[in-house]
Amino acid sequence: WGCVVKKKQRQSGRSHVIRRVIDDYLRACPVMKLSDGDACPCGSIRRYDDCCGPKGVEYRLLWESESGEPALIDSRIFRERATKLLMYLDRPWARGISSLSQGLRYLEGLYRRYDSFVALFESFVSCRRGCTACCYYLVGTSFIEAELIKRYAVRHLSQEQLDAIRVRVREQLPHYIRENQRPRDRQKDEELLAAYFQKRLPCPFLSTENDCMVYPVRPFTCRSHSAVSDPHACETGKGLELLDV
C-alpha cells in the first residue's frame, strides 16, 4: 500500500506541475473585457450578455492579426483540453511502451488529443482544404509515424494510388534531405529548406485532387503547421505567420 500511495503522490505532483504550466501561460494572455453589446466570441450570432456572459466565461487574448482583429480563446476550454493533452503525454505507461502495436495505439491517442486541442484555434487559421502550399515543404517524420502512415495507406488506398506514391518517391528520392545532412546553423538550415521548397516537389501523398491521401494519420510536422497570416503568404513564405502550438 505504501507503493500505491507514493505512486499517487507522484502522479498528483505531476498534475500540479501541468496545471501550473497551463495557468502561467493563460496569465500571460490578457483578459478581454467585453461589453454586453459585443458579439459573443464563441461563434454564435448572439450578444455576449445573452450567451457566454451570464455563464461567466472568461476570454483571453492570444494575439491580434495585422488588421487588429483579436484572437480570443475560452480559458476554461483551453485549460481543459491542454490538461488532457499534457496529462496524456505524461502518462507513466507511455515511457514503458514495449511493442510497436502499443506505440501505434499511443500515437493515435496522442493525435486525437492534439487535434482536439488545436481545434480551438481553427477559426483563426487561414488553412483550408484544397490549399497545398505547405505540401511542397520538406517534411520529417519519426519511424513510428511512418509506420502508421504505411499501415493506413495499405488498408485504405487503392493499388493505383499506392503505385503512384511509389513512382513519386523514386523520382524525388535524390532530392530528399536526411536529418543528419541538415546543418546545425539555423540560418544555413533555413536556406537549405527554402531551396528545397523552391524545387516544388509535391508530397508523395498529395492526390491529383489536391487532397492529402493520408490526412487522418499525417505526421506532427504537418499537423502543427497552421498559418494565421494571409493565405497568399504561404506561396512565397514572406510574411508567413504560423500558429505556435
Side-chain angles (χ1 to χ4, degrees), residues 151-191:
R151 296 189 180 200
Y152 178 90
V154 170
R155 189 179 304 120
H156 295 281
L157 302 186
S158 67
Q159 189 60 49
E160 182 181 359
Q161 288 174 312
L162 293 173
D163 291 340
I165 291 170
R166 292 189 184 98
V167 169
R168 187 176 283 179
V169 169
R170 283 196 294 268
E171 292 174 348
Q172 297 180 1
L173 193 58
H175 301 280
Y176 290 162
I177 304 170
R178 296 182 180 275
E179 191 65 29
N180 59 9
Q181 294 175 317
R182 295 177 62 176
R184 294 185 178 181
D185 182 82
R186 182 173 181 179
Q187 183 176 347
K188 291 182 179 179
D189 187 51
E190 289 178 352
E191 291 174 355

Side-chain angles (χ1 to χ4, degrees), residues 98-142:
S98 58
S99 68
L100 180 59
S101 59
Q102 284 182 337
L104 291 170
R105 284 198 300 272
Y106 177 76
L107 180 61
E108 289 177 313
L110 183 57
Y111 280 166
R112 287 194 298 272
R113 287 161 178 81
Y114 181 80
D115 289 348
S116 175
F117 176 67
V118 174
L120 289 171
F121 312 100
E122 187 174 2
S123 61
F124 315 127
V125 172
S126 54
C127 304
R128 293 293 181 266
R129 184 173 184 175
C131 174
T132 62
C134 61
C135 300
Y136 293 84
Y137 284 108
L138 180 68
V139 174
T141 62
S142 64

Side-chain angles (χ1 to χ4, degrees), residues 20-36:
R20 188 172 62 192
V21 168
I22 296 171
D23 288 341
D24 287 346
Y25 177 85
L26 286 173
R27 271 195 291 270
C29 302
V31 176
M32 192 69 175
K33 297 186 181 299
L34 298 167
S35 61
D36 291 343

